[in-house]
Amino acid sequence: MSQLGRSLLVASYLLLCILLGGSGQGVWRNLALQLLGIALIAWATLFPSKPDDPDDRPVFLYLLGAFAAAVVLLQLIPLPAGFWPELPGRSALAERLSLLGDELPSLPISMAPDRSVMALFAAIPGLALFIAVKMLRPSPAWLAAAVVLGLAASIAVGALQVAGGAQSWAYLYPVTNSGAVGLFANRNHMGTLLLVTIPFAAALLVTTRSDRGGSKQGRVAIGVAALVLVAIGIVLNGSLAVLALALPVMAASAALVPAAIRWRKLALSLAALGIAAAIGLLAANPVGEASRFAADTSIQSRVGMWATTTEAIRDTMPVGTGLGTFSLIYRQYEDPALVNSEYVNHAHNDYLELALELGLAGIVLMALFLGWWIIAAAKVWTSPLSTPFGRAATVASAVILAHSVVDYPLRTSAIAAIFGVAIALIAQRLRSTPARSTRHVKLG
């Protein structure tokens, strides 16, 4: 397959993930993305763009992925009836089963194996795009353009939602925020798409200088249009997360410009401080529309949710409760007197949620990945051989990782797909020195 064909294939799947993967509520849409993702993994593995270069393999990430898969699979293995009740946090379940009068069954570590399996399948789109970008080597410009087109579609849907009011037909999911949520069910997840588009649009603009021919005008148009779309989207969306994170992300994206190399460190430092301040602001803010509920309900601030989640983590450490089991476990720690029709489905902190679900192994996995990301991102920004798209990928992934402190954007196939692309672009090999050129001497 030609470079154009590979780029079109991967970019099309990325765009499809953005269009269809805005919420876990879209069961059939997500299933279609997962099946297509499996097909994409198979194609990329069987027909890579070139023979596998051992020096270009992200061995650490592959080992980390294998470790993560092993942890989840071990959670699904049934344990003897005399063993699992001794695990932390299982005594109450064992007592309830004993009241039925039957012998205790063999059960796995996961307290909801079906949810764990579903959570594994939900990871396919992001994994598929990571593998496809690494193996097929599509043009980063095509991937950036796919993100821009996905944002354009989401903003168009968001405008229809605002125009139609709270009962608009344009809302795609039955349980959703009001306002411009676009292709998502959660306004903040739409905000994440807005934010990650900024660095990719900036990269499209920056790379026009190296173009020759007609593609330069097209890429400039896409980059400018994307920035205009982001501005429109921010106004329509109204998410506090977007408003808090937009300026730091813009500062980091501006550092992509070659002329900014002198003040790049300052811009990145200010962006990091701005993101930290924004996270602090969001942490103290009520979740979503929770501020309209009275204080005597189970809906709390993020800090309140984190405290409840931390209590559950202490009770189930070090084995965890099983991937995808958060909402099931959280209900056991809520005050029954405060529970109403509104419920907590996520911790609004993916790090705490994974610590609860995967236990000590999950904490180790997150620490190892974040350590790799910090080192790899620093290498991208300091290497003269890195590209604007590689730097844009560090900004986009930083946005997602930071937003995950106060929300759960990676629980959607759309954001997970963009994250998979970003990590693959960051993981591209950067030689310490340019390849030596061969000099030919003509004798005689």
Side-chain angles (χ1 to χ4, degrees):
M1 182 181 287
S2 66
Q3 168 74 10
L4 177 60
R6 296 193 302 271
S7 299
L8 182 59
L9 174 65
V10 181
S12 296
Y13 180 69
L14 173 60
L15 178 59
L16 200 60
C17 286
I18 297 173
L19 296 177
L20 302 181
S23 171
Q25 298 176 58
V27 176
W28 294 107
R29 284 174 257 186
N30 282 294
L31 177 60
L33 293 175
Q34 292 159 16
L35 294 175
L36 289 173
I38 293 172
L40 182 60
I41 292 173
W43 181 274
T45 304
L46 293 173
F47 306 104
S49 64
K50 61 179 181 179
D52 194 15
D53 184 351
D55 293 333
D56 199 21
R57 297 172 187 164
V59 176
F60 182 81
L61 288 182
Y62 288 158
L63 291 175
L64 202 60
F67 179 29
V71 169
V72 178
L73 292 176
L74 285 173
Q75 289 187 326
L76 299 175
I77 298 175
L79 302 174
F83 181 75
W84 70 260
E86 303 301 322
L87 296 176
R90 270 65 176 184
S91 58
L93 175 60
E95 290 176 6
R96 288 196 293 269
L97 291 175
S98 296
L99 291 176
L100 298 176
D102 297 328
E103 293 184 2
L104 292 179
S106 296
L107 293 178
I109 291 175
S110 175
M111 300 177 75
D114 57 327
R115 297 189 181 201
S116 298
V117 172
M118 291 174 62
L120 270 179
F121 274 88
I124 289 175
L127 177 63
L129 278 161
F130 171 80
I131 293 174
V133 173
K134 288 298 297 176
M135 302 294 288
L136 297 180
R137 302 289 182 175
S139 166
W142 277 76
L143 301 175
V147 175
V148 173
L149 289 175
L151 176 65
S154 195
I155 289 177
V157 174
L160 293 174
Q161 292 163 347
V162 171
Q167 303 302 318
S168 174
W169 58 268
Y171 288 105
L172 303 182
Y173 302 100
V175 180
T176 183
N177 296 146
S178 58
V181 297
L183 299 169
F184 298 84
N186 186 310
R187 182 185 295 109
N188 288 331
H189 297 167
M190 168 65 178
T192 304
L193 178 61
L194 284 163
L195 293 170
V196 299
T197 303
I198 295 173
F200 283 120
L204 283 171
L205 284 171
V206 168
T207 54
T208 57
R209 291 189 174 187
S210 61
D211 283 346
R212 295 180 179 179
S215 64
K216 177 178 179 179
Q217 289 76 13
R219 197 174 291 182
V220 168
I222 291 176
V224 172
L227 295 177
V228 173
L229 280 171
V230 168
I232 295 172
I234 290 175
V235 174
L236 287 174
N237 182 257
S239 166
L240 180 61
V242 174
L243 296 175
L245 291 169
L247 285 178
V249 173
M250 289 179 182
S253 300
L256 295 172
V257 179
I261 192 169
R262 293 183 179 179
W263 49 270
R264 182 172 287 168
K265 290 183 179 179
L266 176 62
L268 294 176
S269 299
L270 291 176
L273 290 174
I275 289 176
I279 294 303
L281 173 65
L282 293 169
N285 192 66
V287 176
E289 299 177 356
S291 57
R292 66 184 177 88
F293 295 102
D296 57 345
T297 72
S298 64
I299 299 297
Q300 311 166 50
S301 69
R302 286 177 172 85
V303 175
M305 290 182 183
W306 298 348
T308 303
T309 304
T310 302
E311 181 184 355
I313 291 173
R314 286 197 300 264
D315 290 348
T316 57
M317 191 62 70
V319 295
T321 60
L323 186 66
T325 61
F326 172 82
S327 61
L328 179 67
I329 303 304
Y330 189 90
R331 294 170 196 168
Q332 302 175 22
Y333 288 83
E334 290 181 295
D335 185 346
L338 300 182
V339 174
N340 58 13
S341 59
E342 303 294 331
Y343 65 95
V344 176
N345 62 339
H346 288 288
H348 288 267
N349 182 317
D350 259 345
Y351 303 99
L352 283 179
E353 189 162 333
L354 284 174
L356 172 62
E357 295 177 345
L358 299 182
L360 180 60
I363 294 174
V364 172
L365 279 167
M366 289 185 287
L368 290 173
F369 175 77
L370 290 175
W372 171 86
W373 184 89
I374 291 170
I375 295 172
K379 186 176 181 181
V380 167
W381 279 97
T382 55
S383 172
L385 301 176
S386 63
T387 68
F389 291 105
R391 298 188 184 107
T394 66
V395 179
S397 57
V399 168
I400 297 171
L401 290 171
H403 201 181
S404 294
V405 176
V406 292
D407 217 309
Y408 48 98
L410 284 170
R411 303 285 172 162
T412 67
S413 296
I415 303 303
I418 297 173
F419 189 72
V421 168
I423 296 303
L425 292 176
I426 294 172
Q428 301 290 0
R429 181 175 54 154
L430 297 175
R431 295 180 177 85
S432 58
T433 56
R436 294 180 180 179
S437 59
T438 302
R439 300 182 65 182
H440 299 276
V441 179
K442 184 178 181 180
L443 300 177

